[in-house]
Amino acid sequence: MSTQTTATSSAAAVNEYTKLNIPRKIGYACGDFACNMSWTLVGSYLVFFLTDIALINATTVGLLIFISKFWDAVNDPIVGSLADHTRTRWGRYRPWVMFSFIPMLIFNVLTFTTNLEWSETARTWWGLGMYFILALVYTMVNVTYSAMPAMMTRDTETRSALSSYRMTGAFLAMTVLSYATLRVVNAMGGGATGYRNAAIVFSLLAVPFFIITVASSKEVVTIDDTKTEKVSFIKQFKVLKGNWPVIQLAIAYLGWGIIQGGMTFRLYFCTYNAGDELLYANTQTLWSVMGMVGAFSVSYLVTRVKNKGTLGGVSFTLIAICSIISQFLPITTSGGQIIYYVMMGGVGLGSGMMLGNVFGMMPDTAEYTYHKCGVYCAGFLSTFINFMLKVGQAVSIAGAAALLDALGYVAGAQQNATVLFAMNFGSHMFIGLCSIVCAIALFAYKLDKATYDKIVADLRERGMAN
């Protein structure tokens, strides 16, 4: 009994509203740099790898991606709920990252491994199996990593700063991969061997960054389980009823997931419409650099607005404008490509601002839900919102691959006019239209800073927060 009292007193002595120092923020950010050695590699290159390197039919690839993404989306809330009920000396969420990142990196390599001497059926089942497992272990790492800020501090601006630093790390990883992936693939033999070896290089690069995150991120927020309503996994879904901050973020994430499908077309667009696959590498590098600028700027910009949703709405608006303009550029001319670089820089800036801001909004919904429903479930909320992201990805990426096949796409050949138009539309106009919907959802966001401060003050009065 005295041991429990001492532990409680010690926990209470910790400042749960701490403004974390820069080394701690950088340490946390290292985790998303490491995660993107898988996330960006898969998101940017897996569909192309499966269709043009593993030589799997595009419709089959679309089905493979859909099944894997749907599975990924389904296991998100399960992992989140399990993490919410985890109690260890390392915290709730940190041990999931600690013990899952090595298996994730192993399956990252296996997903980009194929053998052209196998039958297409064997290559398809191998691709499905490896990606299926990668999706699960990636969930175990990333959704718990995303939930950690809710336990690292209750200070809303510090949470946004963590998100800003995190996305700066993510965009740094995207910059590295955008510039280096095709170059490393070609330097290491090209084809299937080149892609496998590139996956090995990037997975090894991720290891020290994961270790830094685990070592430097400490969970200090304590939740009094005696004052938290005990609910089953199924009943947790009841906290979503009328929970508009969570619903609006889920809409934005669903939209961003759908946008990912459009972005799948970009490598095809640069390769076949522009006739230069390095245009993709170069513009994607610029996109990532500007994304870093946008993400890092959030730590300052968020202090200048009363509502984080406004910043997210502005970010999606910038993405929409630049994407729609890109639809109409003469991409085979030098002048058209120069403007294209500028537009992709704008899309990158908006993407960085949006992601850096929206990830910082997610932890605040934990207190809102705790106040509204009496259930603290940061992990569940994080995974539900990520569930919507992955549903959007599953539908749009699978749809993109199926659409190419239906329109007559042939890997490595001259494409017909309809396929070329679809590649352009999917890469640009489609992204612009989806971004407009996401902007509207975030402009309507009502959990502003004043409301959040009142919620936290009320929780403290009730003894539900320190």
Side-chain angles (χ1 to χ4, degrees):
M1 182 72 173
S2 59
T3 302
Q4 184 178 358
T5 303
T6 303
T8 303
S9 300
S10 175
V14 176
N15 179 14
E16 296 186 2
Y17 300 84
T18 181
K19 295 183 180 292
L20 300 171
N21 60 29
I22 291 177
R24 286 290 179 89
K25 293 173 184 174
I26 293 174
Y28 178 71
C30 286
D32 221 10
F33 178 92
C35 283
N36 273 276
M37 291 297 115
S38 174
W39 177 263
T40 297
L41 193 65
V42 168
S44 297
Y45 296 99
L46 182 60
V47 172
F48 187 84
F49 170 78
L50 293 173
T51 59
D52 284 44
I53 304 300
L55 300 179
I56 301 173
N57 174 268
T59 297
T60 304
V61 169
L63 181 61
L64 183 156
I65 296 295
F66 178 81
I67 293 171
S68 298
K69 283 292 182 183
F70 184 77
W71 157 242
D72 194 12
V74 167
N75 67 51
D76 269 13
I78 298 172
V79 170
S81 182
L82 291 172
D84 281 333
H85 292 86
T86 298
R87 304 289 185 273
T88 74
R89 61 192 178 94
W90 302 292
R92 296 184 186 221
Y93 307 120
R94 189 163 61 138
W96 285 79
V97 179
M98 187 185 309
F99 296 112
S100 302
F101 78 83
I102 291 294
M104 185 198 85
L105 295 175
I106 291 172
F107 283 98
N108 192 44
V109 173
L110 293 176
T111 298
F112 282 92
T113 301
T114 193
N115 188 334
L116 294 178
E117 294 182 1
W118 298 343
S119 67
E120 183 176 344
T121 300
R123 296 196 302 273
T124 299
W125 279 109
W126 172 268
L128 174 62
M130 294 305 100
Y131 188 39
F132 205 77
I133 299 172
L134 175 62
L136 174 60
V137 288
Y138 183 86
T139 293
M140 294 167 66
V141 173
N142 191 259
V143 298
T144 51
Y145 169 80
S146 298
M148 281 170 59
M151 305 302 290
M152 293 172 68
T153 181
R154 289 190 192 271
D155 183 76
T156 183
E157 289 189 354
T158 302
R159 286 173 172 178
S160 289
L162 282 172
S163 177
S164 173
Y165 274 76
R166 167 192 179 170
M167 292 315 303
T168 302
F171 276 101
L172 178 59
M174 292 178 201
T175 302
V176 171
L177 287 167
S178 297
Y179 179 80
T181 299
L182 293 178
R183 292 174 170 88
V184 172
V185 167
N186 292 332
M188 292 195 161
T193 300
Y195 271 93
R196 183 201 62 208
N197 291 342
I200 292 172
V201 169
F202 296 130
S203 295
L204 290 174
L205 178 60
V207 172
F209 289 91
F210 272 125
I211 293 173
I212 291 170
T213 292
V214 169
S216 63
S217 300
K218 184 179 180 182
E219 298 183 20
V220 300
V221 172
T222 56
I223 304 299
D224 188 346
D225 290 330
T226 64
K227 296 181 179 179
T228 301
E229 183 183 349
K230 302 296 187 298
V231 295
S232 66
F233 170 69
I234 299 299
K235 287 184 178 179
Q236 276 189 317
F237 284 91
K238 290 185 177 180
V239 305
L240 302 175
K241 183 178 179 180
N243 195 332
W244 282 106
V246 173
I247 292 170
Q248 286 167 304
L249 286 183
I251 291 171
Y253 266 58
L254 175 65
W256 183 249
I258 293 172
I259 287 169
Q260 302 281 298
M263 289 184 174
T264 299
F265 280 112
R266 280 235 312 126
L267 179 54
Y268 292 95
F269 171 79
C270 293
T271 301
Y272 295 106
N273 293 60
D276 181 8
E277 69 175 13
L278 284 182
L279 177 65
Y280 175 80
N282 295 336
T283 54
Q284 198 69 7
T285 301
L286 176 62
W287 183 91
S288 302
V289 170
M290 294 305 296
M292 275 193 291
V293 174
F296 194 73
S297 71
V298 169
S299 58
Y300 168 75
L301 293 175
V302 77
T303 66
R304 316 303 296 178
V305 296
K306 296 180 180 180
N307 189 329
K308 296 178 183 179
T310 302
L311 190 55
V314 169
S315 303
F316 269 119
T317 301
L318 178 59
I319 296 170
I321 292 171
C322 293
S323 297
I324 291 171
I325 291 174
S326 297
Q327 171 77 28
F328 304 101
L329 296 178
I331 198 62
T332 57
T333 68
S334 58
Q337 290 193 5
I338 289 172
I339 299 174
Y340 191 63
Y341 273 98
V342 175
M343 292 301 103
M344 289 303 101
V347 171
L349 181 65
S351 299
M353 290 170 58
M354 182 277 295
L355 290 170
N357 181 61
V358 170
F359 274 112
M361 296 166 71
M362 194 188 304
D364 295 347
T365 64
E367 272 76 26
Y368 177 88
T369 303
Y370 192 25
H371 181 264
K372 181 177 185 291
C373 305
V375 178
Y376 195 87
C377 51
F380 173 77
L381 295 176
S382 172
T383 51
F384 171 73
I385 294 170
N386 276 285
F387 168 85
M388 298 304 291
L389 169 72
K390 291 171 182 177
V391 167
Q393 288 177 322
V395 173
S396 64
I397 295 176
L403 178 63
L404 286 179
D405 190 46
L407 295 177
Y409 170 76
V410 180
Q414 177 67 39
Q415 308 302 327
N416 65 55
T418 304
V419 170
L420 294 174
F421 175 81
M423 290 175 177
N424 187 10
F425 186 90
S427 299
H428 306 115
M429 182 63 71
F430 178 76
I431 290 175
L433 296 175
C434 290
S435 296
I436 291 172
V437 175
C438 295
I440 293 170
L442 291 182
F443 277 129
Y445 191 73
K446 299 300 182 184
L447 183 55
D448 56 23
K449 293 179 182 178
T451 302
Y452 176 81
D453 289 341
K454 289 178 182 177
I455 288 171
V456 171
D458 191 44
L459 287 174
R460 298 179 81 168
E461 286 181 12
R462 297 186 200 174
M464 298 169 70
N466 292 324

